Each structure stands twice: as C-alpha cells, then as structure tokens.
Amino acid sequence: YISAILLFSLGLGTTITFASSHWLLAWMGLEMNTLAIIPLMTQHHHPRAVEATTKYFLTQAAAAATLLFASVTNAWLTGQWEIQQITHPLPSTMITLALALKIGLAPLHAWLPEVLQGLDLTTGLILSTWQKLAPFALILQLQPSNSTLLIILGLTSTLIGGWGGLNQTQLRKILAYSSIAHLGWMILVLQFSPSLTLLTLLTYFIMTASTFLVFKLNKSTNINTLAMSWTKAPALTALTPLILLSLGGLPPLTGFMPKWLILQELTKQGLAPTATLAALSALLSLYFYLRLSYAMTLTISPNNLTGSTPWRLPSTQLTYPLATTTAMTICLLPLTPAISALLTS
C-alpha cells in the first residue's frame, strides 16, 4: 500500500508539472516528486542510503527554492506567472540553472554520482529516468531564451560525463556519469530541435533501463562482480556488451541514432567546433563502456577466497521488461526515418 501511494505521488507530481502553465503549480509538482521518492530511497535502512537521500533532498530543495525565487522575481519584474512568458534574462537564467541542478547537468552535477551510489538499482533507475521528466518538460518550454548558457551547460556535461566515468569501478557511479553525458547531448541540441531532444531522452531511457535491469539481474554493483555474471546468465552476458556499446553510441545499435542526428543538426546550425567537441567526448564515454564489456565477456573473476562464487539461485526479477528494453536498445536504428518523422510531425 505504501509503495503504491508513493509511486502514485511520484507519477502525480510529474503529471502536475506537465499539465501546468503557472510557475507555482510547476514548482508544486516538482516538490511532490522529490518528497515521494525520498521514502523509496531510504527503504533499505543503510547509512549510505540515508546519506544519499539527505544529499538528494538538500540539492533538490535548493533547486526548488531557486526556481520559486526566480519565478517570483519574474512576476515582480514583468507581472507574468506564465511558464511561456519568461522574457527577462535574469529569472530566465536562474530558472535554467535551477533546473540544471535538478537533473544534474555539469557543473551542477556533483550530487548525482554520490546519490546514485547510495541507492539500490531499482530506485537508481527511477532517479535516472522518471525524475528527469518534469524538469525537462520545463526546460523545453523555456528554451528559446538562453542559447549560450544551454550550449555551455551541454558541452561541460558531455566532457565531465566522459572524464568522470574513466576512473570508476562502481557501476552506479559509471551510470551516473553516463547520465550526465547523455543529458549534455540533449541540452546541446535543445534550442535547435526540441523533437530531437525528446528522441534522445526516449532512447536514453530505454538504454538506461536495460542496463540497470541487467545489473539488477546479476546483482552486480562493481566491475569485479560483473565478471562473475557469465556463470549466472550466459546468454544475457553475451548481449550486455551490445547494450553498453549502444549507450556509447556505436552503429549499428540504437544509441547511434540520436548522436548522429544531433551532430548533423549542430553542423547545420554552423556549430562545427561544438559538434567536434561533443563527438570527442563521446569517445571518452565509449572507453568506460568498453571497459565494462571487457570485464564482462573477456575476463574470468579471480575466485581466490573460499566461497566467493555467488549462489546461483533462480532470479525473482521479471524478465519481460529486460527483454523488451534490450531488444529496443539493440535493434531500433533501422527505424530512424520512421521515428524522426513521428517526432517532427
């Protein structure tokens, strides 16, 4: 009952933000979202989980306070509470930065790896996917006003998302940096093609969901436990490198589609240097995905300690979501024309 109520509140918070045209209502939806996920984050009474929840609460509260302050300032300067009517540069910049802090765009990203590391994989998945929807809906409505700021945020995020993940051994932190890099790509192209941003968000959700579900099935939280997964689920272990390389954006996998279209759009808009930097930062991300793939498929875990081989119990996790998201992560590239036509129509 409690989980159902919390998940319902989570959905309701996002829906209120989606449906609102008034800043106060949008802020209320974001607050509901934050408050509903906090009990889900602390359901395992572990010091790390409590610490992560506290960090999450403080950053989200700061972002929400900034957002409210900026919208009040906007009402004071222009007499408008409408989300579409942000004309003054000061509240516009403040709101963009507050929403960037909410979703974890660099340089306001420092909380995300720490928070994700303290959570279990299911809550981590909700935090990486569902919690990005409401702030993104608001950024999409704001977008024409802050072109330079958005490009700076986007480029910084792709670079930090690439550099940050290089030295990590914890899977949840690697996924957090991957999330920062993907959000950077979305923000880069936001002002030129909002439909392309939505497409990137959608493919990111599918790829991240399949990655999280694979790790959850294997009960792995770091690279060493990943190396033992071939004994538990050999077929899945063979497919996982494809999922990871799809996240990295290699053809002929789904993850190549948004990167290809974004680079094309940026070049069309005369931003070739930006596109080059973004493409080079994708190479950094690709390195740590390759590292995970290598650990999974080409190494055998050193079982030195007695009893370090994990129990091979049948998993209780539903495999339908995993099967669906994995198929979509690997096979959607040929449907690019159809998908882009759907989104632009």
Side-chain angles (χ1 to χ4, degrees):
Y1 282 138
I2 293 171
S3 297
I5 290 169
L6 291 173
L7 289 169
F8 175 73
S9 309
L10 205 60
L12 185 66
T14 306
T15 315
I16 285 177
T17 307
F18 277 179
S20 60
S21 59
H22 191 288
W23 273 116
L24 215 54
L25 208 59
W27 170 81
M28 207 163 73
L30 291 170
E31 283 296 281
M32 280 180 72
N33 234 349
T34 306
L35 294 175
I37 202 173
I38 280 173
L40 292 172
M41 291 166 89
T42 47
Q43 61 188 343
H44 299 288
H45 297 292
H46 191 274
R48 285 304 295 269
V50 175
E51 183 190 337
T53 312
T54 312
K55 285 176 180 170
Y56 181 74
F57 174 72
L58 291 173
T59 48
Q60 297 298 308
T66 314
L67 184 79
L68 192 61
F69 175 64
S71 47
V72 169
T73 311
N74 183 62
W76 176 52
L77 289 168
T78 62
Q80 282 288 352
W81 277 102
E82 289 280 313
I83 291 179
Q84 307 277 2
Q85 304 287 337
I86 295 276
T87 45
H88 200 282
L90 176 70
S92 165
T93 309
M94 279 172 69
I95 287 172
T96 310
L97 288 172
L99 292 168
L101 175 58
K102 265 208 175 293
I103 54 177
L105 278 172
L108 307 162
H109 66 288
W111 61 272
L112 186 59
E114 295 297 322
V115 168
L116 212 54
Q117 180 55 29
L119 305 179
D120 67 313
L121 290 165
T122 317
T123 320
L125 175 59
I126 296 174
L127 186 73
S128 303
T129 54
W130 186 259
Q131 291 298 88
K132 310 277 187 224
L133 280 173
F136 239 96
L138 295 175
I139 294 177
L140 273 168
Q141 292 178 65
L142 271 181
Q143 44 96 11
S145 51
N146 276 342
S147 50
T148 323
L149 178 66
L150 287 180
I151 286 183
I152 291 169
L153 284 172
L155 265 184
T156 323
S157 298
T158 51
L159 288 166
I160 283 182
W163 284 119
L166 291 184
N167 208 17
Q168 300 294 339
T169 56
Q170 298 291 333
L171 299 179
R172 285 167 293 187
K173 281 195 174 176
I174 286 178
L175 283 169
Y177 282 109
S178 142
S179 168
I180 293 165
H182 278 273
L183 289 168
W185 280 87
M186 292 171 218
I187 292 294
L188 268 180
V189 80
L190 182 72
Q191 55 198 318
F192 308 118
S193 171
S195 59
L196 193 46
T197 299
L198 280 177
L199 170 69
T200 316
L201 189 65
L202 198 65
T203 46
Y204 160 72
F205 279 5
I206 294 165
M207 297 185 294
T208 308
S210 54
T211 316
F212 265 104
L213 291 170
V214 168
F215 294 161
K216 187 166 174 261
L217 190 80
N218 289 324
K219 297 187 175 61
S220 356
T221 50
N222 59 23
I223 294 184
N224 287 345
T225 50
L226 212 52
M228 293 192 266
S229 65
W230 64 275
T231 55
K232 296 182 191 173
L236 187 63
T237 306
L239 283 174
T240 308
L242 292 177
I243 297 174
L244 291 165
L245 294 177
S246 184
L247 263 172
L250 280 194
L253 305 161
T254 309
F256 177 59
M257 169 176 37
K259 284 193 167 58
W260 168 32
L261 293 171
I262 286 172
L263 291 175
Q264 187 185 347
E265 185 61 40
L266 288 174
T267 319
K268 266 188 210 165
Q269 300 291 340
L271 291 170
T274 311
T276 313
L277 265 176
L280 288 173
S281 72
L283 286 176
L284 293 169
S285 302
L286 188 61
Y287 170 77
F288 58 78
Y289 296 127
L290 276 171
R291 191 160 148 238
L292 290 185
S293 310
Y294 172 74
M296 240 184 140
T297 50
L298 299 174
T299 57
I300 293 178
S301 178
N303 291 326
N304 304 332
L305 299 171
T306 323
S308 63
T309 311
W311 287 94
R312 293 181 199 163
L313 299 169
S315 173
T316 52
Q317 183 187 330
L318 280 175
T319 45
Y320 285 123
L322 175 57
T324 317
T325 49
T326 303
M328 289 169 85
T329 301
I330 296 171
C331 307
L332 281 187
L333 186 69
L335 292 178
T336 304
I339 295 169
S340 47
L342 270 174
L343 279 168
T344 46
S345 60

